[in-house]
DNA sequence: CAAACGATTTTCT
DNA sequence: GAAAATCGTTTGG
């Protein structure tokens, strides 16, 4: 197993990074509890031109400033007051690109995931969705800004074969224009662990 | 300081 | 298929 290094995230083509993250293993280790899962679905948010991005138009606030940091850190954001979204910040400093992890296939620590989700075994797709994938791994807003090359959150390349990648429009875009339908959502074809297609 | 809203999920009909 | 749950961030007064 090899942990992905900072150079991976510093590259400038966020779409390529989003696709390459598919099949990688997202790992967390908080307070001695370790969980991990294969990334099955991602979504790219690219900079100030992207209407769907929090950094659209160059917005720079307390919440979004972490997107302007150097690639290789986490951006965790609470949505609808309920769900934690886990993003990977990419690109060099001052360019607000990020990749949202939308779905994982649970690998290790599944019993912890079930406890966090308050489920027995009722949900067949434990990590299929941006909010619940983060919840499975125990990621909360307090983990915003953590380095992905540290010892609490990291991503490994275990050489898992990916196969075909399906591109589609992003979800939750409540505006009109080209960025509403641009295919910046990527998922592993045929995976049962991705969130449902629209 | 108050008000509106969101990169969603779950549950009920 | 539709509606509710729920709170930090953002925006306006």
């Amino acid at each position: 197993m090899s942990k992905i290094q900072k150079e991976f995230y510093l590259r400038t083509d966020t779409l390529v990074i989003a696709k390459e993250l598919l099949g990688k293993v997202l790992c967390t280790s908080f307070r001695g509890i370790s969980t991990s899962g294969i990334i099955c679905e991602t979504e790219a948010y690219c900079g100030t031109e992207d209407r769907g991005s929090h950094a659209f138009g160059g917005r720079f606030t307390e919440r979004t400033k972490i997107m302007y940091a150097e690639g290789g850190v986490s951006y965790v954001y609470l949505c609808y007051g309920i769900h934690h979204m886990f993003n990977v910040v990419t690109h060099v400093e001052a360019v607000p690109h990020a990749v949202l992890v939308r779905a994982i296939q649970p690998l290790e620590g599944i019993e912890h995931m079930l406890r966090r989700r308050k489920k027995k075994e009722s949900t067949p797709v434990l990590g299929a969705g941006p909010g619940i994938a983060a919840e499975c791994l125990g990621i909360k807003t307090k983990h915003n800004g953590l380095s992905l090359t540290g010892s609490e959150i990291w991503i490994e390349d275990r050489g898992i074969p990916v196969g075909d990648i399906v591109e589609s429009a992003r979800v939750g875009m409540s505006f009109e224009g080209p960025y509403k339908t641009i295919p910046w959502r990527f998922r592993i074809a045929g995976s049962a662990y991705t969130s449902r297609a629209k």
Side-chain angles (χ1 to χ4, degrees):
Chain A
M1 78 182 160
S2 61
K3 185 187 291 188
I4 292 177
Q5 295 303 308
K6 194 168 186 176
E7 288 70 32
F8 179 91
Y9 307 106
L10 285 179
R11 289 175 300 161
T12 55
D13 194 331
T14 301
L15 298 182
V16 168
I17 296 177
K19 281 184 268 196
E20 290 184 357
L21 281 177
L22 294 176
K24 299 295 188 291
V25 180
L26 177 60
C27 309
T28 62
S29 182
F30 304 127
R31 301 186 313 179
I33 298 178
S34 299
T35 49
S36 66
I38 303 171
I39 298 174
C40 295
E41 183 174 349
T42 62
E43 219 168 76
Y45 288 88
C46 300
T48 56
E49 302 292 308
D50 182 1
R51 292 270 329 252
S53 170
H54 288 154
F56 169 68
R59 284 210 307 273
F60 186 89
T61 65
E62 273 302 304
R63 180 181 61 157
T64 63
K65 67 179 182 185
I66 195 65
M67 292 182 74
Y68 292 81
E70 221 174 47
V73 298
S74 66
Y75 169 39
V76 184
Y77 148 70
L78 184 64
C79 186
Y80 293 91
I82 304 173
H83 304 290
H84 297 270
M85 311 284 207
F86 173 73
N87 298 251
V88 174
V89 177
T90 64
H91 216 299
V92 297
E93 188 174 359
V95 184
H97 287 206
V99 176
L100 169 70
V101 175
R102 294 190 57 86
I104 62 162
Q105 174 183 338
L107 274 187
E108 292 139 355
I110 293 181
E111 66 274 17
H112 298 299
M113 299 183 187
L114 288 173
R115 195 187 64 243
R116 284 163 175 160
R117 302 271 340 266
K118 295 183 172 60
K119 298 288 182 186
K120 300 295 181 186
E121 233 166 338
S122 54
T123 34
V125 281
L126 197 58
I132 60 182
E135 186 178 11
C136 282
L137 295 168
I139 296 175
K140 304 197 180 59
T141 53
K142 62 185 294 188
H143 304 116
N144 186 37
L146 276 185
S147 168
L148 298 178
T149 51
S151 58
E152 293 187 289
I153 304 178
W154 68 94
I155 301 175
E156 291 177 7
D157 182 358
R158 299 190 184 181
I160 297 171
V162 173
D164 290 334
I165 294 175
V166 177
E167 304 182 358
S168 57
R170 293 177 296 178
V171 186
M173 300 291 110
S174 56
F175 52 83
E176 296 304 319
Y179 285 103
K180 177 172 182 169
T181 53
I182 195 169
W184 281 356
R185 178 188 186 190
F186 308 101
R187 49 207 162 90
I188 298 177
S191 171
Y193 297 92
T194 58
S195 59
R196 75 181 150 79
K198 196 164 186 196

